Amino acid sequence: MVREANERRVSVEKQLKEALSKIDVLDAEITALKRLVLASAPDVPKSESLPILSIRTSGITSFLRGHKRSGSHTGAIEKRRDVSPPPDPSDNATLNNFIETDPLLYEEFSKWVQNPVLESGGSDFLLRIHREDIIPCLTYRNIEMAKAVQKSVEENSLMMEVVVGNESQECECALTMICQSCTYRMKLGESCCWHYISKLARDRIAAVCDFFTYVRYVHLGLVKQDEMTMFLEILKLRKQMCLAKLGVLIKNDNSSAHLS
Protein backbone atom coordinates (compact mmCIF):
# COMPACT_ATOMS: atom_id res chain seq x y z
CA MET A 1 0.00 0.00 0.00
CA VAL A 2 2.83 2.38 0.80
CA ARG A 3 4.48 1.63 -2.53
CA GLU A 4 1.25 2.21 -4.43
CA ALA A 5 0.72 5.47 -2.57
CA ASN A 6 4.26 6.60 -3.46
CA GLU A 7 3.74 5.68 -7.10
CA ARG A 8 0.48 7.67 -7.20
CA ARG A 9 2.19 10.62 -5.53
CA VAL A 10 5.00 10.59 -8.11
CA SER A 11 2.46 10.36 -10.92
CA VAL A 12 0.42 13.27 -9.54
CA GLU A 13 3.53 15.41 -9.05
CA LYS A 14 4.59 14.71 -12.64
CA GLN A 15 1.14 15.68 -13.95
CA LEU A 16 1.19 18.82 -11.82
CA LYS A 17 4.60 19.85 -13.17
CA GLU A 18 3.45 19.35 -16.76
CA ALA A 19 0.26 21.30 -16.09
CA LEU A 20 2.24 24.19 -14.61
CA SER A 21 4.53 24.15 -17.64
CA LYS A 22 1.54 24.43 -19.96
CA ILE A 23 0.16 27.29 -17.88
CA ASP A 24 3.50 29.09 -18.15
CA VAL A 25 3.40 28.67 -21.93
CA LEU A 26 -0.12 30.12 -22.09
CA ASP A 27 0.90 33.01 -19.82
CA ALA A 28 3.83 33.77 -22.12
CA GLU A 29 1.54 33.73 -25.17
CA ILE A 30 -0.93 36.10 -23.46
CA THR A 31 1.88 38.45 -22.44
CA ALA A 32 3.27 38.45 -25.98
CA LEU A 33 -0.19 39.13 -27.41
CA LYS A 34 -0.69 42.09 -25.05
CA ARG A 35 2.65 43.52 -26.13
CA LEU A 36 1.71 43.08 -29.77
CA VAL A 37 -1.51 45.01 -29.20
CA LEU A 38 0.43 47.79 -27.46
CA ALA A 39 3.01 47.90 -30.24
CA SER A 40 0.26 48.09 -32.87
CA ALA A 41 -1.63 50.91 -31.18
CA PRO A 42 -0.84 54.25 -32.88
CA ASP A 43 -0.94 56.26 -29.62
CA VAL A 44 1.57 54.06 -27.78
CA PRO A 45 5.20 55.30 -27.77
CA LYS A 46 7.61 53.15 -29.75
CA SER A 47 9.75 52.68 -26.66
CA GLU A 48 6.99 50.48 -25.21
CA SER A 49 7.12 48.05 -28.12
CA LEU A 50 8.53 44.72 -27.06
CA PRO A 51 9.52 41.58 -28.97
CA ILE A 52 7.02 38.84 -29.71
CA LEU A 53 7.79 35.45 -28.20
CA SER A 54 6.24 32.03 -28.46
CA ILE A 55 7.91 29.68 -26.01
CA ARG A 56 9.37 30.32 -22.59
CA THR A 57 13.01 31.22 -22.68
CA SER A 58 15.49 33.83 -21.65
CA GLY A 59 17.76 35.78 -23.93
CA ILE A 60 16.70 37.28 -27.22
CA THR A 61 18.51 39.71 -29.43
CA SER A 62 18.43 43.41 -28.60
CA PHE A 63 19.98 46.30 -30.45
CA LEU A 64 22.98 47.99 -28.85
CA ARG A 65 22.59 51.68 -28.18
CA GLY A 66 25.37 54.11 -29.05
CA HIS A 67 27.53 55.26 -26.14
CA LYS A 68 27.93 58.89 -25.09
CA ARG A 69 31.02 60.84 -26.06
CA SER A 70 33.17 62.46 -23.42
CA GLY A 71 33.82 66.22 -23.26
CA SER A 72 37.06 65.86 -25.20
CA HIS A 73 35.08 65.06 -28.31
CA THR A 74 33.07 68.31 -28.24
CA GLY A 75 35.21 69.97 -30.92
CA ALA A 76 34.84 67.08 -33.30
CA ILE A 77 31.10 67.02 -32.74
CA GLU A 78 30.81 70.76 -33.45
CA LYS A 79 32.48 70.22 -36.84
CA ARG A 80 30.00 67.48 -37.72
CA ARG A 81 26.73 69.14 -36.72
CA ASP A 82 25.47 68.93 -40.27
CA VAL A 83 25.75 65.11 -40.28
CA SER A 84 22.47 63.36 -39.50
CA PRO A 85 22.59 60.85 -36.63
CA PRO A 86 22.14 57.17 -37.49
CA PRO A 87 18.62 55.78 -37.14
CA ASP A 88 17.55 54.08 -33.94
CA PRO A 89 17.42 50.36 -34.83
CA SER A 90 14.52 49.82 -32.39
CA ASP A 91 12.35 52.45 -34.06
CA ASN A 92 10.69 51.03 -37.17
CA ALA A 93 9.19 54.40 -38.12
CA THR A 94 12.66 55.96 -38.23
CA LEU A 95 14.19 53.00 -40.02
CA ASN A 96 11.52 53.31 -42.68
CA ASN A 97 13.17 56.54 -43.81
CA PHE A 98 16.70 55.10 -43.91
CA ILE A 99 16.50 51.47 -44.96
CA GLU A 100 16.89 50.41 -48.56
CA THR A 101 14.90 47.22 -48.94
CA ASP A 102 15.46 44.39 -51.37
CA PRO A 103 12.68 45.07 -53.91
CA LEU A 104 12.21 41.38 -54.72
CA LEU A 105 11.99 40.39 -51.06
CA TYR A 106 9.55 43.19 -50.31
CA GLU A 107 7.43 42.26 -53.32
CA GLU A 108 7.23 38.65 -52.08
CA PHE A 109 6.30 39.87 -48.59
CA SER A 110 3.68 42.26 -49.96
CA LYS A 111 2.00 39.42 -51.86
CA TRP A 112 2.11 37.14 -48.81
CA VAL A 113 0.65 39.71 -46.41
CA GLN A 114 -2.43 40.01 -48.62
CA ASN A 115 -3.08 36.33 -47.92
CA PRO A 116 -0.79 35.32 -45.03
CA VAL A 117 -0.77 31.53 -45.26
CA LEU A 118 1.44 29.57 -42.87
CA GLU A 119 2.46 26.75 -45.20
CA SER A 120 5.95 27.31 -46.62
CA GLY A 121 4.88 26.04 -50.03
CA GLY A 122 2.02 28.51 -50.14
CA SER A 123 4.13 31.57 -50.94
CA ASP A 124 7.52 32.51 -52.33
CA PHE A 125 8.06 34.69 -49.26
CA LEU A 126 7.87 31.88 -46.69
CA LEU A 127 9.60 29.45 -49.02
CA ARG A 128 12.59 31.81 -49.21
CA ILE A 129 12.76 32.21 -45.41
CA HIS A 130 12.54 28.45 -44.92
CA ARG A 131 15.35 27.92 -47.37
CA GLU A 132 17.62 30.77 -46.26
CA ASP A 133 16.99 30.99 -42.50
CA ILE A 134 14.85 28.31 -40.87
CA ILE A 135 16.38 25.17 -42.35
CA PRO A 136 20.00 26.35 -41.79
CA CYS A 137 19.11 27.41 -38.25
CA LEU A 138 17.60 24.00 -37.45
CA THR A 139 20.29 21.93 -39.13
CA TYR A 140 22.07 19.65 -36.66
CA ARG A 141 24.18 16.52 -36.72
CA ASN A 142 21.19 14.49 -35.51
CA ILE A 143 19.25 14.81 -38.76
CA GLU A 144 16.15 12.88 -37.70
CA MET A 145 15.80 14.82 -34.45
CA ALA A 146 16.31 18.10 -36.33
CA LYS A 147 13.44 17.23 -38.70
CA ALA A 148 11.23 16.37 -35.71
CA VAL A 149 12.09 19.71 -34.08
CA GLN A 150 11.22 21.65 -37.23
CA LYS A 151 7.90 19.85 -37.51
CA SER A 152 7.05 20.55 -33.86
CA VAL A 153 7.98 24.22 -34.21
CA GLU A 154 5.78 24.60 -37.28
CA GLU A 155 2.91 22.83 -35.47
CA ASN A 156 3.48 24.93 -32.32
CA SER A 157 3.78 21.76 -30.23
CA LEU A 158 7.34 22.04 -28.91
CA MET A 159 8.07 22.65 -25.22
CA MET A 160 11.41 23.77 -23.78
CA GLU A 161 12.46 24.53 -20.23
CA VAL A 162 15.54 25.25 -18.19
CA VAL A 163 17.05 22.29 -16.39
CA VAL A 164 17.31 23.31 -12.76
CA GLY A 165 19.24 21.99 -9.79
CA ASN A 166 21.03 18.68 -10.04
CA GLU A 167 19.26 17.79 -13.29
CA SER A 168 21.62 20.07 -15.23
CA GLN A 169 24.37 17.82 -16.50
CA GLU A 170 27.29 17.32 -18.82
CA CYS A 171 25.93 14.97 -21.44
CA GLU A 172 25.48 14.52 -25.17
CA CYS A 173 23.23 17.17 -26.68
CA ALA A 174 20.33 15.47 -28.44
CA LEU A 175 20.78 17.69 -31.50
CA THR A 176 24.50 18.45 -31.84
CA MET A 177 25.44 14.98 -30.53
CA ILE A 178 28.40 16.56 -28.74
CA CYS A 179 29.07 16.07 -25.05
CA GLN A 180 28.62 19.47 -23.41
CA SER A 181 26.73 21.28 -20.67
CA CYS A 182 23.03 20.72 -21.39
CA THR A 183 21.14 23.27 -19.33
CA TYR A 184 17.89 22.96 -21.29
CA ARG A 185 15.57 20.17 -22.28
CA MET A 186 12.78 19.88 -24.82
CA LYS A 187 9.74 17.74 -25.50
CA LEU A 188 8.29 17.29 -28.98
CA GLY A 189 4.58 17.07 -29.72
CA GLU A 190 2.65 14.64 -27.56
CA SER A 191 5.77 12.70 -26.62
CA CYS A 192 6.50 12.25 -22.91
CA CYS A 193 10.23 11.95 -23.54
CA TRP A 194 12.51 14.85 -22.63
CA HIS A 195 15.66 15.51 -24.68
CA TYR A 196 18.58 17.42 -23.15
CA ILE A 197 20.03 20.15 -25.36
CA SER A 198 22.78 22.78 -25.15
CA LYS A 199 22.22 26.54 -24.96
CA LEU A 200 23.32 26.95 -28.58
CA ALA A 201 20.68 24.48 -29.75
CA ARG A 202 18.05 26.13 -27.56
CA ASP A 203 18.85 29.65 -28.84
CA ARG A 204 18.50 28.54 -32.45
CA ILE A 205 15.15 26.89 -31.79
CA ALA A 206 13.93 29.90 -29.82
CA ALA A 207 14.82 32.29 -32.66
CA VAL A 208 12.80 30.22 -35.13
CA CYS A 209 9.88 30.04 -32.69
CA ASP A 210 9.89 33.83 -32.35
CA PHE A 211 9.56 34.14 -36.13
CA PHE A 212 6.69 31.63 -36.33
CA THR A 213 4.87 33.37 -33.47
CA TYR A 214 4.91 36.68 -35.31
CA VAL A 215 3.74 35.26 -38.65
CA ARG A 216 0.97 33.38 -36.82
CA TYR A 217 -0.22 36.66 -35.33
CA VAL A 218 -0.15 38.23 -38.80
CA HIS A 219 -2.08 35.23 -40.12
CA LEU A 220 -4.72 35.65 -37.38
CA GLY A 221 -5.07 39.36 -38.14
CA LEU A 222 -3.79 40.43 -34.71
CA VAL A 223 -1.05 42.69 -36.08
CA LYS A 224 -2.45 46.13 -36.87
CA GLN A 225 0.78 47.70 -38.06
CA ASP A 226 1.33 49.06 -41.54
CA GLU A 227 2.94 46.90 -44.19
CA MET A 228 6.45 48.41 -43.98
CA THR A 229 6.53 48.14 -40.18
CA MET A 230 5.62 44.46 -40.41
CA PHE A 231 8.27 43.94 -43.05
CA LEU A 232 10.94 45.54 -40.83
CA GLU A 233 9.86 43.33 -37.94
CA ILE A 234 10.28 40.30 -40.19
CA LEU A 235 13.79 41.49 -41.06
CA LYS A 236 14.64 41.76 -37.36
CA LEU A 237 13.39 38.23 -36.73
CA ARG A 238 15.44 36.94 -39.66
CA LYS A 239 18.47 38.67 -38.18
CA GLN A 240 17.72 36.88 -34.90
CA MET A 241 17.89 33.54 -36.66
CA CYS A 242 21.15 34.41 -38.38
CA LEU A 243 22.78 35.45 -35.10
CA ALA A 244 21.48 32.39 -33.28
CA LYS A 245 22.79 30.13 -36.03
CA LEU A 246 26.26 31.61 -35.56
CA GLY A 247 26.05 31.32 -31.78
CA VAL A 248 26.32 35.07 -31.18
CA LEU A 249 22.78 35.78 -30.02
CA ILE A 250 22.87 38.94 -27.90
CA LYS A 251 21.20 38.62 -24.53
CA ASN A 252 18.70 41.24 -23.43
CA ASP A 253 18.44 41.14 -19.64
CA ASN A 254 15.37 43.38 -19.73
CA SER A 255 13.41 41.09 -22.02
CA SER A 256 10.74 38.72 -20.78
CA ALA A 257 11.52 35.04 -20.73
CA HIS A 258 9.92 32.48 -22.96
CA LEU A 259 11.77 29.63 -21.32
CA SER A 260 11.47 29.05 -17.60
Side-chain angles (χ1 to χ4, degrees):
M1 293 177 64
V2 173
R3 185 183 64 184
E4 291 178 357
N6 288 334
E7 290 176 351
R8 286 197 297 271
R9 178 178 59 82
V10 171
S11 177
V12 171
E13 290 178 349
K14 181 179 179 181
Q15 293 175 8
L16 175 61
K17 184 176 180 180
E18 292 180 352
L20 291 175
S21 297
K22 292 180 180 179
I23 291 174
D24 289 341
V25 173
L26 293 176
D27 286 341
E29 290 284 355
I30 292 173
T31 302
L33 183 55
K34 289 180 178 179
R35 288 172 179 160
L36 181 61
V37 173
L38 288 174
S40 303
D43 57 341
V44 176
K46 290 296 182 179
S47 59
E48 297 182 13
S49 301
L50 295 175
I52 305 306
L53 308 175
S54 61
I55 56 175
R56 299 165 297 146
T57 189
S58 59
I60 57 174
T61 300
S62 66
F63 290 100
L64 297 177
R65 305 286 184 178
H67 63 277
K68 293 183 178 179
R69 295 283 185 176
S70 64
S72 61
H73 295 278
T74 304
I77 293 176
E78 291 292 338
K79 295 178 180 179
R80 297 201 305 250
R81 284 187 181 276
D82 58 329
V83 180
S84 300
D88 182 356
S90 64
D91 189 345
N92 283 343
T94 305
L95 272 178
N96 191 8
N97 298 324
F98 284 85
I99 193 169
E100 182 177 354
T101 61
D102 181 336
L104 177 59
L105 183 61
Y106 186 80
E107 179 183 351
E108 292 173 351
F109 168 78
S110 184
K111 290 180 180 179
W112 172 79
V113 83
Q114 302 304 319
N115 180 30
V117 296
L118 297 178
E119 296 78 14
S120 61
S123 72
D124 294 335
F125 170 70
L126 286 184
L127 186 62
R128 173 190 294 273
I129 295 179
H130 268 78
R131 182 178 66 250
E132 297 180 357
D133 302 310
I134 295 174
I135 293 178
C137 202
L138 296 182
T139 297
Y140 300 95
R141 181 176 294 177
N142 190 337
I143 299 176
E144 293 302 319
M145 180 70 70
K147 291 180 180 178
V149 168
Q150 181 177 339
K151 181 180 179 182
S152 294
V153 170
E154 292 175 352
E155 295 175 351
N156 200 23
S157 62
L158 180 143
M159 181 181 295
M160 291 197 299
E161 65 180 26
V162 175
V163 178
V164 296
N166 296 328
E167 293 186 42
S168 180
Q169 53 187 307
E170 190 86 14
C171 62
E172 183 181 275
C173 174
L175 289 166
T176 63
M177 300 180 70
I178 297 175
C179 186
Q180 55 190 137
S181 178
C182 294
T183 54
Y184 297 87
R185 64 179 186 172
M186 66 177 181
K187 186 164 60 174
L188 308 178
E190 299 298 326
S191 173
C192 297
C193 181
W194 288 96
H195 305 278
Y196 287 85
I197 58 176
S198 63
K199 183 180 183 303
L200 172 64
R202 166 260 175 204
D203 285 348
R204 291 165 67 172
I205 296 172
V208 176
C209 286
D210 287 343
F211 169 79
F212 272 103
T213 297
Y214 188 77
V215 296
R216 285 192 190 101
Y217 287 160
V218 175
H219 170 74
L220 294 173
L222 300 176
V223 181
K224 303 305 180 182
Q225 300 166 324
D226 60 82
E227 189 172 290
M228 176 55 74
T229 302
M230 287 191 288
F231 179 70
L232 294 177
E233 185 65 31
I234 291 290
L235 292 185
K236 283 201 256 184
L237 293 169
R238 294 189 67 182
K239 178 182 177 181
Q240 291 277 93
M241 288 188 280
C242 292
L243 292 174
K245 180 180 64 176
L246 297 173
V248 292
L249 192 63
I250 304 172
K251 183 177 181 180
N252 181 8
D253 294 331
N254 296 323
S255 64
S256 297
H258 63 268
L259 241 185
S260 64

